[in-house]
């Protein structure tokens, strides 16, 4: 913002906050962490969602309604609630996960206290929560695809892998665009999970743009700079959205 309140009076700062942002190492750390989640976790999550959707769409699967419910249930779990659940499960000393690992001879894993494992823990939590949501979107798209396409592919001698590559994936293109854009926006705005799980730590390993924005606004009360970070985030979302529409959108 070009105006800030200093000692009870308004002060014009111009582009000072944007200059400060360019030289802010914590902002670049937050951008890097968010980019890692976007590049690593989102593709893995969407790939799993496609596989689950294909499996749930198979006529060979019995009790499909029960499986669909099971995969979708994590989506309706509150963000803070499931963050707390994962924080308890992944506790280094008393967590259930480390206790189960100890039964097979694996020592305690520092899920939330080591920078690398903290990133992995955050990725696992996000994947658990959002995979089912994306799978439902893919499943809805799969059920709208004409079965004649698969029949024609079978008549032409296409294998199951070839049918998936040349029929299923092209048919999922609109759903892939939608889920990619939504996942990108959600990742860039990521706040609840890293804030509840690790608070952005350890050593800022899980500090995201959303957490950094919150810290500046409500921890340090630097609302002007927090607004600048928000504007930068908005521009990034817009740019990535345009790029994704160009790459995945239907060509005229």
């Amino acid at each position: 913002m070009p105006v800030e309140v200093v000692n009870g009076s308004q002060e014009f700062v111009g582009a000072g906050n944007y200059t400060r942002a360019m030289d802010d190492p914590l902002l670049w750390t937050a951008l890097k962490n968010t980019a890692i989640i976007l590049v690593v976790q989102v593709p893995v999550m969407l790939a799993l969602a496609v596989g689950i959707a294909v499996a749930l769409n198979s006529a060979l699967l019995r009790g499909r309604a029960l499986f669909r419910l099971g995969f979708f249930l994590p989506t309706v779990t509150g963000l803070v609630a499931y963050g707390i659940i994962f924080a308890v499960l992944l506790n280094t000393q008393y967590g259930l996960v480390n206790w189960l690992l100890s039964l097979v001879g694996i020592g305690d894993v520092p899920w939330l206290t080591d920078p690398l494992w903290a990133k992995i823990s955050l990725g696992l939590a996000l994947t658990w929560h959002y995979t089912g949501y994306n799978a439902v979107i893919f499943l809805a798209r799969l059920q709208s695809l004409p079965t004649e396409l698969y029949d024609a592919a079978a008549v032409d001698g296409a294998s199951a892998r070839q049918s998936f590559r040349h029929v299923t994936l092209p048919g999922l293109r609109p759903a892939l665009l939608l889920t990619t854009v939504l996942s990108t926006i959600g990742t860039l705005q990521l706040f609840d999970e890293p804030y509840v799980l690790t608070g952005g730590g350890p050593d800022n390993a899980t500090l995201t743009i959303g957490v950094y924005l919150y810290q500046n606004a409500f921890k340090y009360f630097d609302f002007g700079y927090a607004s600048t970070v928000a504007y930068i985030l908005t521009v990034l979302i817009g740019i990535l959205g345009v790029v994704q529409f160009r790459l995945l959108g239907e060509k005229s």
Side-chain angles (χ1 to χ4, degrees):
M1 293 179 66
V3 176
E4 287 188 348
V5 177
V6 179
N7 296 326
S9 61
Q10 291 187 343
E11 179 178 320
F12 182 77
V13 296
N17 280 331
Y18 293 96
T19 303
R20 171 186 170 187
M22 294 300 101
D23 298 324
D24 185 355
L26 277 180
L27 177 59
W28 287 106
T29 297
L31 287 169
K32 182 186 72 173
N33 292 336
T34 306
I36 291 174
I37 298 171
L38 181 62
V39 172
V40 177
Q41 186 270 332
V42 170
V44 171
M45 175 186 65
L46 294 182
L48 286 174
V50 170
I52 292 171
V54 171
L56 294 178
N57 194 50
S58 174
L60 301 177
L61 181 66
R62 296 184 178 181
R64 285 184 291 176
L66 182 61
F67 280 104
R68 292 172 186 173
L69 177 62
F71 281 110
F72 187 73
L73 274 179
T75 304
V76 301
T77 306
L79 296 177
V80 175
Y82 99 87
I84 294 175
I85 291 173
F86 267 82
V88 173
L89 291 176
L90 298 176
N91 183 277
T92 303
Q93 294 182 326
Y94 311 108
L96 177 62
V97 175
N98 275 348
W99 178 75
L100 293 175
L101 292 176
S102 68
L103 297 180
V104 294
I106 300 177
D108 290 342
V109 177
W111 295 103
L112 304 177
T113 56
D114 178 81
L116 176 60
W117 284 108
K119 286 187 174 72
I120 295 174
S121 301
L122 180 59
L124 291 174
L126 293 171
T127 302
W128 177 84
H129 190 261
Y130 292 104
T131 298
Y133 173 80
N134 291 290
V136 169
I137 295 176
F138 290 135
L139 180 60
R141 178 61 184 173
L142 285 175
Q143 292 180 336
S144 68
L145 295 179
T147 56
E148 291 82 1
L149 296 176
Y150 293 96
D151 295 337
V155 170
D156 290 338
S159 63
R161 180 179 297 179
Q162 290 171 328
S163 294
F164 175 79
R165 179 181 177 183
H166 297 289
V167 179
T168 303
L169 284 182
L172 284 175
R173 187 171 181 173
L176 282 169
L177 173 61
L178 173 64
T179 53
T180 301
V181 172
L182 291 179
S183 298
T184 299
I185 295 173
T187 300
L188 291 175
Q189 295 178 331
L190 190 61
F191 169 75
D192 299 82
E193 292 87 349
Y195 184 78
V196 174
L197 273 176
T198 62
D203 195 24
N204 296 318
T206 57
L207 180 69
T208 62
I209 305 176
V211 174
Y212 188 56
L213 193 160
Y214 171 85
Q215 289 177 347
N216 278 280
F218 301 106
K219 184 177 180 180
Y220 307 118
F221 299 103
D222 193 350
F223 294 107
Y225 187 59
S227 298
T228 299
V229 175
Y231 281 120
I232 293 173
L233 176 59
T234 302
V235 172
L236 286 176
I237 291 175
I239 292 173
L240 289 177
V242 171
V243 171
Q244 289 167 348
F245 270 99
R246 289 293 181 88
L247 293 178
L248 297 176
E250 295 293 342
K251 297 181 179 180
S252 59

